[in-house]
Amino acid sequence: MTTLTRVSSPSARRRISKEFWRSLGMWLIFLPLALVVVIPVLYMFSMAFTLEANQLKFPIEWIPNPVTFSNFTKIFVDPQLPIVRWFTNSLIIATVGTGIIVFLSSLSGYAFARLEFPGKNLLFSLLLFSLMIPAAVTLIPAFLLLRDLKLLNTYHAIWWPAAASVTGIFLMRQHFYSIPVELEDAARVDGANRFRIYWQICLPLVRGAMVALFIFAFLGLWNDLFWPLIVLSERAALTLPVGLLVIQQGSYIQRGLAFAGAFIASVPVLVFYAFFQRKIIAGITTAGLAGR
Amino acid sequence: MTTSALPARHTSSNQRWKTLRKQLPNYLFVLPHFFFFAVFLLYPIVRGVQISLYDWKIMLKDQNFIGVANYQALLRDRMFWEVLGNTAEFMIITVIINVILALFVATGLKHKFFGSDFLRVLFYAPGILSVSVIGIIGIRVWDTQIGIINYFATTMLGLPRVSWLGNPDIVIPALALTTVWWTFGFPMLVFIAGLHNIPEQLYEAAKIDGAGHFGTFRHITLPLIMPTMLFVVVTQFIAHMQVFAQPYIITGGGPGNASRSATMYLYETAWKFFRFGYASAIAVALAAIMIVVTIILFSIMRRRTEY
């Protein structure tokens, strides 16, 4: 008895047990929601490895029996479903597009935070105003413009409209503001010009914001369906999300193929998410608060 | 006085010219983005309004100017009003459930407990999946014969099968719930951040005053979370009013037109029937409605914030 109290004082023990009960209570509340979130995703994974013949089984066969890769091999051998090409397209579009967005946003964000020039406020209000305009209005003219430039079914059709996006600028501007002005003044005294100050002094200091912007722009471009659906129509030019619709069309009503395709599109982002979850969640938090 | 003013003005304009020349290179920072912004955002906005005044067909060389005829046709277009109603219903259900669920979960996850960080990551996870994947999953979640929901309803609860997507009264709530599953993680994270900004002393003071859980929520959390709420409601409204892929993939707009959304109607008018002029009118009308509602939302919530 006496040894026990010496090891853990009653108050500490009470605190630990209070913590335990609180955690247990929270889990009782949130476990059903967690299951609702998880089950459909696990179902997709399971169905990707389920034989076409077993796809329509009821009650549902949660664990595939047997586990098969036939859905994947069927996609890979079908010349009408160039999924490797789609994957490559998605990767190039998302990577380069993200690079463009991050670079342009950091340049503009820096100017709006730190530099003076006539018309700065007007320009900034214009960017803010554009946030109010739903994408619906710009779809048709942007499509017609790209058609006239003969850029439909090319990567450019995605990259350059993406380069016009403004949200990254607000994020970068917010972070450039937080850099002490004295740092730049010191560099200026040392004779650095404004481009060197931006590139060598300020940019490294907002690396965190750039990584966050990179992650969000990448996920956005990788997952987008609507715009690629409009400007990409040739089989070989499609991205994965549009390709997934093709897999579900016409003679491909085989459900297993759709799930295998969904698996291929989802696993990279889920792994990406698992790696960067801390950054992603911190990024949303700051972006959300900046948005206020 | 007058003699001294002249050279002074001269130097000041000289000074101004000097600063301007010094500031001129600063434009190089904003110009690259502004170029694409102008080409792919500003110009299309103006151009979109212009196209809506034409009977624009993609094959024609010379387009036919018809004034506001597209808008007059739009007012009489029963389909337009139907898809607008569908979209509004979808948006209202999605936003309300998203906001309530997100705020509820955020209140629970605000304080750390064993596994709270894990739950945070988990609840946001569906949000990083492509809407194409959500569609493929959604088809099977709601399927009448082999769907997950009917599986649990029949095997665990002993309920009869329901044709969720075949019933025009249920199809929109079903799509809305699918969307909530996909998107509630974002407002949840924003709310958690917002809740952390409320000073803890306020809660302690309320506790001393003997306020209950509901009372603290009603009189402290709710009023102080209003700025965050404004941000969440406006972004959610803008996002879900433009819903396209969920009905496009999961129901194809059916049964009949019961789940066809405004953006889907716009897409089909332009890229299935190639009536770009009429589609532009739909786009402009939709944009006008959304801008007006956004402004109304802002003014209502601003007033409620300044209590």
Side-chain angles (χ1 to χ4, degrees):
Chain A
M1 209 45 182
T2 40
T3 43
L4 245 181
T5 41
R6 209 176 297 148
V7 172
S8 63
S9 71
S11 77
R13 223 181 326 150
R14 212 176 306 134
R15 201 163 57 231
I16 289 167
S17 94
K18 202 182 154 202
E19 187 87 333
F20 171 80
W21 288 114
R22 217 175 72 80
S23 297
L24 190 70
M26 284 299 184
W27 272 94
L28 283 179
I29 296 171
F30 286 127
L31 191 64
L33 187 60
L35 289 175
V36 170
V37 167
V38 165
I39 286 174
V41 178
L42 293 182
Y43 177 82
M44 168 183 79
F45 289 169
S46 157
M47 286 298 141
F49 295 95
T50 298
L51 283 173
E52 190 59 36
N54 292 347
Q55 285 281 328
L56 304 182
K57 266 201 180 163
F58 196 87
I60 294 168
E61 204 177 86
W62 292 98
I63 295 160
N65 178 33
V67 174
T68 176
F69 291 94
S70 64
N71 298 320
F72 293 93
T73 48
K74 261 190 246 168
I75 294 184
F76 282 118
V77 297
D78 193 334
Q80 290 301 304
L81 303 174
I83 199 157
V84 178
R85 183 69 202 264
W86 296 341
F87 193 94
T88 320
N89 289 342
S90 279
L91 200 62
I92 296 174
I93 285 175
T95 314
V96 177
T98 303
I100 295 170
I101 292 175
V102 172
F103 180 60
L104 296 187
S105 302
S106 75
L107 267 177
S108 274
Y110 178 71
F112 286 118
R114 277 291 187 262
L115 303 175
E116 287 306 323
F117 51 90
K120 176 176 156 182
N121 288 333
L122 179 76
L123 205 56
F124 195 72
S125 327
L126 211 55
L127 298 188
L128 269 177
F129 163 76
S130 79
L131 284 181
M132 291 248 310
I133 307 290
V137 215
T138 61
L139 293 174
I140 290 168
F143 167 82
L144 291 173
L145 180 68
L146 288 165
R147 186 197 60 152
D148 294 341
L149 294 171
K150 307 250 179 308
L151 290 178
L152 294 181
N153 288 306
T154 68
Y155 297 153
H156 300 282
I158 314 256
W159 287 337
W160 304 117
S165 76
V166 294
T167 36
I169 294 179
F170 299 116
L171 183 77
M172 295 310 295
R173 172 174 167 266
Q174 206 76 14
H175 282 83
F176 279 121
Y177 264 135
S178 63
I179 299 174
V181 189
E182 294 78 30
L183 256 173
E184 288 172 66
D185 290 340
R188 206 164 290 126
V189 171
D190 290 346
N193 69 33
R194 65 199 94 195
F195 294 101
R196 270 193 62 186
I197 292 173
Y198 153 77
W199 188 255
Q200 291 188 331
I201 312 265
C202 294
L203 215 47
L205 289 173
V206 293
R207 211 183 292 132
M210 283 173 74
V211 172
L213 179 56
F214 192 95
I215 291 169
F216 287 115
F218 187 91
L219 284 175
L221 286 167
W222 178 273
N223 284 336
D224 191 22
L225 172 72
F226 196 35
W227 185 243
L229 184 67
I230 288 172
V231 293
L232 309 176
S233 52
E234 285 166 13
R235 275 289 154 96
L238 304 184
T239 58
L240 264 178
V242 189
L244 287 183
L245 297 195
V246 174
I247 295 181
Q248 297 180 75
Q249 280 164 4
S251 54
Y252 298 101
I253 324 176
Q254 304 177 53
R255 306 304 330 175
L257 295 193
F259 283 109
F263 183 87
I264 294 170
S266 309
V267 166
V269 285
L270 286 173
V271 171
F272 187 81
Y273 181 56
F275 264 103
F276 292 107
Q277 32 113 342
R278 211 172 281 272
K279 266 259 168 315
I280 291 174
I281 284 178
I284 294 167
T285 310
T286 44
L289 287 179
R292 295 189 317 161
Chain B
M1 272 287 252
T2 38
T3 41
S4 64
L6 258 171
R9 201 187 296 153
H10 184 71
T11 42
S12 89
S13 87
N14 212 5
Q15 199 68 38
R16 222 181 304 151
W17 173 238
K18 246 183 171 164
T19 33
L20 182 68
R21 244 191 26 200
K22 236 169 102 188
Q23 288 177 353
L24 225 44
N26 292 347
Y27 283 109
L28 289 175
F29 282 86
V30 287
L31 226 51
H33 170 265
F34 187 75
F35 173 75
F36 295 108
F37 178 75
V39 172
F40 289 106
L41 253 158
L42 288 184
Y43 161 76
I45 291 170
V46 179
R47 184 76 172 144
V49 176
Q50 192 195 4
I51 291 176
S52 74
L53 303 175
Y54 285 78
D55 182 24
W56 194 288
K57 302 260 169 50
I58 196 158
M59 298 307 170
L60 295 181
K61 195 111 201 158
D62 296 303
Q63 303 295 346
N64 200 2
F65 183 83
I66 53 169
V68 292
N70 278 329
Y71 292 97
Q72 286 169 336
L74 204 57
L75 288 175
R76 289 190 306 269
D77 184 351
R78 301 233 319 257
M79 178 79 135
F80 175 68
W81 295 105
E82 192 180 344
V83 297
L84 209 57
N86 293 342
T87 311
E89 184 189 342
F90 170 86
M91 180 275 295
I92 290 170
I93 297 173
T94 308
V95 174
I96 288 177
I97 301 181
N98 251 354
V99 166
I100 293 173
L101 182 66
L103 190 55
F104 173 75
V105 176
T107 316
L109 294 184
K110 182 186 135 193
H111 295 293
K112 274 197 191 307
F113 59 88
F114 178 78
S116 62
D117 283 350
F118 171 76
L119 284 177
R120 213 183 268 203
V121 171
L122 185 76
F123 289 156
Y124 184 69
I128 60 152
L129 296 176
S130 171
V131 70
S132 295
V133 174
I134 303 301
I136 288 171
I137 294 175
I139 292 170
R140 281 285 273 272
V141 165
W142 300 102
D143 192 280
T144 315
Q145 298 306 322
I146 53 163
I148 298 179
I149 303 226
N150 276 350
Y151 169 83
F152 286 115
T154 53
T155 59
M156 292 178 74
L157 304 171
L159 296 170
R161 283 206 167 90
V162 177
S163 167
W164 303 102
L165 302 179
N167 185 333
D169 296 327
I170 316 179
V171 62
I172 289 179
L175 291 176
L177 282 180
T178 313
T179 308
V180 167
W181 180 83
W182 180 37
T183 59
F184 86 95
F186 176 72
M188 172 198 76
L189 290 178
V190 177
F191 276 134
I192 291 177
L195 290 174
H196 275 300
N197 278 5
I198 300 176
E200 199 59 36
Q201 299 95 287
L202 284 176
Y203 288 106
E204 277 156 27
K207 215 172 179 180
I208 292 165
D209 289 348
H213 277 293
F214 185 76
T216 15
F217 183 82
R218 167 83 182 71
H219 295 291
I220 296 176
T221 309
L222 218 46
L224 288 174
I225 203 76
M226 267 302 157
T228 314
M229 183 81 87
L230 173 70
F231 170 74
V232 167
V233 170
V234 169
T235 50
Q236 293 274 305
F237 164 76
I238 292 173
H240 298 307
M241 261 318 260
Q242 302 188 68
V243 60
F244 167 77
Q246 296 93 307
Y248 184 73
I249 301 173
I250 298 175
T251 65
N257 294 317
S259 64
R260 182 157 281 122
S261 76
T263 306
M264 209 175 145
Y265 184 46
L266 158 70
Y267 173 82
E268 288 169 340
T269 306
W271 284 282
K272 220 163 116 189
F273 303 111
F274 301 108
R275 298 175 60 199
F276 280 76
Y278 194 59
S280 291
I282 296 174
V284 173
L286 187 63
I289 293 169
M290 287 177 61
I291 291 171
V292 169
V293 176
T294 305
I295 292 170
I296 294 172
L297 277 177
F298 258 105
S299 61
I300 292 175
M301 311 253 319
R302 271 278 150 76
R303 214 171 306 140
R304 295 209 44 190
T305 311
E306 298 154 6
Y307 45 92

